[in-house]
Amino acid sequence: MSAPVVLQVAALLVSPAFVLRPWLMEDVAAWVELSRDPALSQSASSVVDNDADGTRWVQAQQQRRAAGDRYAVFEAQPGSVRAQLVGNGVLKEVTCGKPAGAVGCWTAVHARGRGVASRALEALPSWAFDTIDTFDTFGIFEAAGDDRA
């Protein structure tokens, strides 16, 4: 597996700075809390009711990250050591030689309406276009919790 990709997205006047990075086991508690959102639970591929479920979910994201396609989205908190989980970004079909890929994301309730989803949906394919350099297009396949994305 290659080194994890971490994408820094600068703040805009109306949108916070955030980072897209691989999921870590330390993210389980925050994910369990966010998974209580009905909009996320409707589109989730698995039910997350407790830490054991959250651990399995994060481990699955880590395994899929081996393909370079799963990213936790954290808002940078000025003056804070820890960032706040605000969503999940996904790249699909991202392999050399393929002409198209897909990008998707979901956002937490507290992050909706602040431009996080749209900016993550811009940052992920931009990185793929710059890094993999074989894509012609990306389609949006999911934007749970943010219909405007």
Side-chain angles (χ1 to χ4, degrees):
M1 177 166 46
S2 61
V5 173
V6 176
L7 305 174
Q8 303 284 335
V9 180
L12 296 177
L13 187 59
V14 296
S15 183
F18 61 91
V19 62
L20 292 105
R21 62 137 173 93
W23 283 89
L24 305 172
M25 293 312 297
E26 296 84 44
D27 301 331
V28 169
W31 167 233
V32 170
E33 181 66 30
L34 293 185
S35 67
R36 294 185 177 114
D37 174 8
L40 295 181
S41 61
Q42 289 174 355
S43 64
S45 58
S46 60
V47 176
V48 176
D49 288 326
N50 53 46
D51 285 350
D53 293 340
T55 297
R56 283 189 291 278
W57 190 89
V58 168
Q59 287 171 333
Q61 302 315 298
Q62 291 175 327
Q63 290 169 354
R64 294 169 101 173
R65 213 265 346 131
D69 69 353
R70 302 290 162 158
Y71 297 90
V73 181
F74 280 84
E75 180 178 339
Q77 298 289 312
S80 174
V81 176
R82 285 197 65 115
Q84 181 179 28
L85 178 64
V86 294
N88 181 55
V90 178
L91 288 171
K92 286 189 175 183
E93 306 296 325
V94 182
T95 56
C96 289
K98 287 203 171 202
V103 63
C105 73
W106 54 254
T107 54
V109 171
H110 62 269
R112 293 181 194 146
R114 296 176 34 218
V116 173
S118 60
R119 294 184 65 224
L121 291 172
E122 178 183 347
L124 286 167
S126 292
W127 168 81
F129 280 126
D130 292 344
T131 306
I132 302 170
D133 197 32
T134 61
F135 294 101
D136 295 325
T137 61
F138 267 92
I140 296 175
F141 69 88
E142 175 182 329
D146 196 337
D147 296 333
R148 295 174 298 158

